[in-house]
Amino acid sequence: MSIAFTFPGQGSQAVGMGKDLADSFPEAAAVFAEVDDALGEKLSDTIWNGPEETLILTANAQPALMAVSIAVIRVLEARGLDLGSKASFVAGHSLGEYSALCAAGTFSLADTARLLRIRGNAMQAAVPVGKGAMAAIIGLEHDDVEAVCREASSLGACQIANDNGGGQLVISGEKQAVEKAAALATEKGAKRALMLPVSAPFHSSLMAPAAEAMREALAKVEKRDPVVPVVANVLAAPVSDAGEVARLLVEQVTGQVRWRETVQWFAANDVTTLYEIGSGKVLTGLARRIDKTVNGIAVNTPADIDAALAALLA
């Protein structure tokens, strides 16, 4: 029986996140200050005060969510947690994979902030606004959604972007094709097929220019092997080599976030508890739907940190 630390992705952001951490713990405040320095701007002001429409911009939301996650980790570490000995694995949902790798020592905090700013800008710039789209398909199996994407791809790129488990999949690609796939999914019996209010078709082949930007950016930063294996999004399997980690992060930009399989892999490999480190409780909710044998615990407030330390250091 072992534990893993998981790190949330885009959609978990909220104005004010991490403010109670920075006010309560100097280690957390130092993380936000270092991210501000790395980016050359007061991202912390946007995180804590908004406006929301600025925080949700991809280039801001990605480093912002990472900052909150690492603030939690630094507080835990300052109070006695040793990630390498307490956790068996780490994993993160999309951008959360960068947070996981920062926590596991593969990238420095400053480099992670800069990588995520590059990633956010590159993903936004990869496709003209209005050309791409994403949709959530609720209540169909993976194979059925794959089939409707194949059928709709006669109109343009269309593929599964996220397999979040619990019958929730997200598709991504060219707008016309995604709309067609959503209609086909409804015909096949999906409970809901909902177009998402996103600014770009993330995790689709249309993101190829962003993948190339990340290949260049990742080649330039110092990388260390993670202190615990990371269960990579595109493999749903653990990786421990820094070079392989970087290659898979490039692949992740256009590839599928295999979160259902990731949680199933944890369950099959004796991971009994997933600590969700950072803003929100999205991954904790998903874990509950994917496999009831895995216990999800969200850690993002001072009280959560006290409870987690009591359990982890017992």
Side-chain angles (χ1 to χ4, degrees), residues 261-284:
E261 293 169 88
T262 296
V263 174
Q264 289 171 338
W265 188 92
F266 283 138
N269 287 274
D270 299 322
V271 174
T272 54
T273 306
L274 299 179
Y275 284 93
E276 179 178 3
I277 306 296
S279 181
K281 299 180 179 181
V282 170
L283 300 183
T284 299

Side-chain angles (χ1 to χ4, degrees), residues 233-285:
N233 283 182
V234 297
L235 286 185
V239 182
S240 297
D241 174 75
E244 179 76 348
V245 160
R247 187 184 70 74
L248 293 171
L249 286 175
V250 174
E251 200 177 307
Q252 189 223 67
V253 179
T254 57
Q256 184 182 146
V257 177
R258 295 166 61 181
W259 197 255
R260 171 181 58 85
E261 293 169 88
T262 296
V263 174
Q264 289 171 338
W265 188 92
F266 283 138
N269 287 274
D270 299 322
V271 174
T272 54
T273 306
L274 299 179
Y275 284 93
E276 179 178 3
I277 306 296
S279 181
K281 299 180 179 181
V282 170
L283 300 183
T284 299

Side-chain angles (χ1 to χ4, degrees), residues 90-92 94-108 112 115 119 211 214-215 217-219 221-235 237-253:
V90 294
S94 191
L95 84 90
E97 194 157 55
Y98 286 80
S99 307
L101 288 162
C102 181
T106 295
F107 304 123
S108 71
T112 310
L115 284 168
R119 185 177 184 267
M214 291 317 297
R215 189 190 314 281
L218 285 159
V221 300
E222 184 182 350
K223 297 173 279 292
R224 296 186 181 90
D225 293 345
V227 296
V228 294
V230 58
V231 180
N233 283 182
V234 297
L235 286 185
V239 182
S240 297
D241 174 75
E244 179 76 348
V245 160
R247 187 184 70 74
L248 293 171
L249 286 175
V250 174
E251 200 177 307
Q252 189 223 67
V253 179

Side-chain angles (χ1 to χ4, degrees), residues 49-113:
N49 303 309
E52 186 181 17
E53 57 267 26
T54 303
L55 178 61
I56 65 173
L57 292 173
T58 302
N60 292 331
Q62 296 197 18
L65 283 161
M66 182 277 299
V68 178
S69 289
I70 300 305
V72 174
I73 285 288
R74 294 287 187 264
V75 174
L76 291 170
E77 289 175 334
R79 277 144 191 78
L81 175 80
D82 177 60
L83 184 72
S85 62
K86 283 295 179 183
S88 297
F89 305 98
V90 294
H93 192 286
S94 191
L95 84 90
E97 194 157 55
Y98 286 80
S99 307
L101 288 162
C102 181
T106 295
F107 304 123
S108 71
L109 175 57
D111 280 341
T112 310

Side-chain angles (χ1 to χ4, degrees), residues 135-143 145-146 160-171 192 196 256 260:
I137 311 297
I138 312 294
L140 279 189
E141 294 300 316
H142 186 280
D143 289 351
V145 177
E146 206 155 51
I160 295 173
N162 301 341
D163 180 359
N164 288 329
Q168 182 196 113
L169 293 105
V170 177
I171 62 174
R192 292 182 76 191
L196 297 176
Q256 184 182 146
R260 171 181 58 85

